């Protein structure tokens, strides 16, 4: 079974990331950061690219599933041969860690033995322990524009054509409609595109994705609403 299109399209370099140029343009820096913003805007992708190109020993944890024991296992590398080049901890969904778990990271971040890159969909000033925030820099990821999403869709169409060995053509109005209806969430747009391409018939040795097909897989414009969060 194939991975979801959004996973297959994850950029491998920062230059491939759609949008977020206020953070990713030449000269911008990430170090000991907490990245925050809506879903599908590239937080996890950017963190992974930086982590995997850092030259440090990389550990990845997710706040939804990791426990205190997982954090302690990472910290055990401090001062060992495994951590000689530095330790980079990539922590996704950090808002799910409790206060005690977040506190366990303070000392190693303070003395520089661990570099932290964390991401969250929630406002960190409400969900992250203040002492940890004071030792990090917060970068906000903004919702992608329709143009950013359309660029991502065009890149995906090219990759799908190459991988399937069959040219895929998407009507301009269909691409524009999908980009607008995604509500700034590229992952959502790629999921709709993947479904439409799979269902598209082959005519004249080419798969054609029409506006009507896209409208069928996007029943309503994506709207962000979080009862207790920033969008509210």
């Amino acid at each position: 079974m194939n991975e979801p299109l959004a996973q297959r399209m994850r950029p491998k370099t920062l230059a491939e990331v759609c949008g977020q140029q206020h953070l990713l343009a030449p000269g911008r820096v990430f170090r000991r950061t907490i990245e925050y913003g809506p879903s599908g805007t590239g937080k996890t992708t950017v963190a992974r690219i930086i982590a995997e190109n850092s030259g440090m020993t990389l550990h990845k944890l997710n706040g939804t599933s990791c426990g205190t024991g997982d954090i302690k296992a990472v910290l055990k590398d401090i001062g060992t041969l495994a951590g000689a080049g530095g330790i980079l901890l990539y922590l996704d969904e950090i808002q799910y860690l409790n206060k005690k778990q977040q506190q366990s990271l303070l000392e190693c971040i303070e003395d520089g033995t661990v570099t932290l890159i964390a991401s969250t969909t929630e406002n960190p000033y409400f969900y992250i322990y203040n002492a940890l925030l004071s030792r990090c820099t917060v970068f906000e990821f903004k919702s992608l524009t329709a143009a950013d999403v359309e660029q991502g869709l065009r890149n995906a169409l090219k990759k799908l054509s190459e991988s399937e060995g069959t040219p895929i053509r998407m009507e301009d109005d269909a691409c524009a409609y999908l980009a607008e209806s995604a509500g700034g969430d590229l992952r959502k747009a790629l999921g709709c595109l993947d479904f439409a391409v799979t269902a598209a018939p082959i005519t004249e040795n080419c798969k054609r994705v029409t506006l009507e097909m896209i409208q069928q897989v996007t029943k309503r414009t994506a709207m962000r609403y979080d009862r207790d969060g920033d969008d509210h």
Side-chain angles (χ1 to χ4, degrees), residues 14 17-28 30 46 50 141:
L14 294 180
V17 177
C18 299
Q20 310 306 340
Q21 290 307 295
H22 65 296
L23 299 178
L24 305 181
R28 307 293 182 178
F30 285 85
V46 170
I50 294 172
F141 277 55

Side-chain angles (χ1 to χ4, degrees), residues 117-153:
I117 297 180
S119 64
T120 175
T121 53
E122 306 293 345
N123 189 324
Y125 297 103
F126 296 144
Y127 287 87
I128 309 302
Y129 182 48
N130 284 338
L132 184 59
L133 274 179
S134 71
R135 291 162 173 79
C136 298
T137 302
V138 176
F139 294 92
E140 181 179 1
F141 277 55
K142 299 176 181 178
S143 292
L144 299 181
T145 65
D148 294 331
V149 176
E150 188 164 348
Q151 177 188 342
L153 292 172

Side-chain angles (χ1 to χ4, degrees), residues 93-140:
E93 302 291 0
I94 188 176
Q95 75 271 18
Y96 288 106
L97 296 188
N98 60 39
K99 183 177 178 179
K100 184 177 180 180
Q101 291 170 325
Q102 293 184 35
Q103 285 177 321
S104 68
L105 297 169
L106 291 176
E107 184 177 350
C108 58
I109 292 175
E110 182 73 48
D111 63 21
T113 52
V114 171
T115 297
L116 172 69
I117 297 180
S119 64
T120 175
T121 53
E122 306 293 345
N123 189 324
Y125 297 103
F126 296 144
Y127 287 87
I128 309 302
Y129 182 48
N130 284 338
L132 184 59
L133 274 179
S134 71
R135 291 162 173 79
C136 298
T137 302
V138 176
F139 294 92
E140 181 179 1

Side-chain angles (χ1 to χ4, degrees), residues 46-123:
V46 170
R48 283 180 175 170
I49 291 171
I50 294 172
E52 290 171 359
N53 289 277
S54 66
M56 302 181 188
T57 299
L58 172 63
H59 293 273
K60 300 178 184 179
L61 296 177
N62 189 296
T64 61
S65 57
C66 77
T68 303
D70 299 301
I71 296 173
K72 288 181 177 179
V74 172
L75 302 185
K76 282 182 180 179
D77 277 354
I78 296 174
T80 68
L81 186 60
I87 296 171
L88 195 151
L89 172 59
Y90 164 44
L91 183 52
D92 198 11
E93 302 291 0
I94 188 176
Q95 75 271 18
Y96 288 106
L97 296 188
N98 60 39
K99 183 177 178 179
K100 184 177 180 180
Q101 291 170 325
Q102 293 184 35
Q103 285 177 321
S104 68
L105 297 169
L106 291 176
E107 184 177 350
C108 58
I109 292 175
E110 182 73 48
D111 63 21
T113 52
V114 171
T115 297
L116 172 69
I117 297 180
S119 64
T120 175
T121 53
E122 306 293 345
N123 189 324

